[in-house]
Amino acid sequence: MLKDLTVRSGSNAGLIKLVVIAVLAIVVLSGSFFVVQPSEMAGIRWMGGKVITDEPLGPGVHFKVPLVETVDRLQISRSIYTLAGLDVYTNDNQKVTIDISVIYQIPARSVFNLLYKVGRTGAVDIDATLLPVVRDRALEAFAKYNTLSISDQRAQITVQMRNAISQGLGSLFGVDVIDVQLTGIHYSPIFEASIEQAVKAKADAVQAENTVARAKYEGEQATVLAAAQAKAAVEAAQGRADSQVIEADAQAKAAETVGAALRANPEYTKFYGLQHWNGVLPTVTSGGIPLIDLSKSAAKSD
């Protein structure tokens, strides 16, 4: 029985050794290769120190010595770096808070520079490396403008920031800047309140000008109407006067014509009297007014 136990213990020990060897083999084999993704490039360091690759490793499967070689990866596809809540100052000493998004890409020529020559080794502090340059160029761009002109000049400010950030990141770190977007502009509460007051004052001034203009227009219209009415009254009076003169002239001419006829033919007096008699006999007569002979008039009419 003791012999059986000894044999069994020896078998278990052998099995354990085989398992350990298999695990070690798997660890060694799995640590002997690594995969670089299409959006990455990588470098290898020996014992965490010296870089042993001459050029950045591109996408694909690569081999390394397990446990003694370290792989450093860096994303080279387009990335977006967002800087929110950055305080900048305009040339009239007003604080403005802005939000910026920087779209950039790291070319192959700059991979080792960013992995091993800038900041800490590896890709652990890329954003912290870019931040000071982005902040400085944004401050520089806004310092050229007045607070009131920022909204109107937003596109121009964005272009200036894009050019400045692109030049700075390119010359210092070899980073290619694709675009810079000014995604937010936030004014201080005091400045916004002053803007609202200015807008209200301007609106009140425009309303007052409109009131004055309306009153002026109404006054001009009243003046024009009064002038037209006065002119019409003068013309009407002139028309009446002209009518009276014409009527008087006509009456004078008629009287002159009647007088001439009476002087030329005294008998015409009786005829004229009959034409203008109203059929009522006069109650008072004098020697200067001729009496009408009704019997003769009646005989002639028969």
Side-chain angles (χ1 to χ4, degrees), residues 72-256:
D72 299 308
R73 305 168 187 271
L74 183 64
Q75 182 178 336
I76 60 171
S77 60
R78 291 188 178 184
S79 302
I80 299 178
Y81 173 69
T82 300
L83 179 58
L86 174 62
D87 292 335
V88 297
Y89 290 86
T90 60
N91 62 7
D92 55 341
N93 296 322
Q94 291 289 333
K95 184 177 75 171
V96 179
T97 303
I98 63 173
D99 303 323
I100 305 174
S101 291
V102 180
I103 303 174
Y104 67 93
Q105 188 169 10
I106 299 174
R109 66 178 184 276
S110 303
V111 170
F112 278 4
N113 180 51
L114 289 171
L115 281 176
Y116 305 121
K117 296 182 180 180
V118 176
R120 290 179 291 172
T121 299
V124 295
D125 59 353
I126 297 299
D127 288 351
T129 299
L130 303 181
L131 172 61
V133 177
V134 175
R135 178 188 288 115
D136 178 73
R137 300 308 188 268
L139 288 168
E140 181 182 353
F142 270 85
K144 299 177 181 179
Y145 292 89
N146 185 281
T147 310
L148 294 175
S149 65
I150 289 177
S151 296
D152 295 336
Q153 302 295 329
R154 179 168 182 163
Q156 184 174 341
I157 295 173
T158 302
V159 171
Q160 291 186 3
M161 284 198 305
R162 181 186 302 120
N163 294 337
I165 293 174
S166 177
Q167 192 277 332
L169 295 182
S171 61
L172 292 174
F173 310 120
V175 174
D176 293 338
V177 174
I178 308 302
D179 194 16
V180 174
Q181 298 175 348
L182 181 57
T183 56
I185 300 176
H186 314 285
Y187 300 97
S188 66
I190 296 176
F191 181 77
E192 289 183 347
S194 65
I195 291 297
E196 290 179 0
Q197 293 176 356
V199 171
K200 183 178 183 301
K202 184 176 181 180
D204 292 342
V206 171
Q207 183 178 1
E209 290 178 357
N210 291 337
T211 301
V212 171
R214 183 171 61 252
K216 182 179 179 181
Y217 173 77
E218 291 175 353
E220 291 176 350
Q221 289 295 103
T223 301
V224 171
L225 180 60
Q229 291 175 344
K231 183 178 180 181
V234 170
E235 291 179 351
Q238 185 65 43
R240 290 193 299 270
D242 292 343
S243 177
Q244 291 175 356
V245 169
I246 293 172
E247 184 178 356
D249 289 342
Q251 290 178 352
K253 290 180 179 179
E256 183 179 355

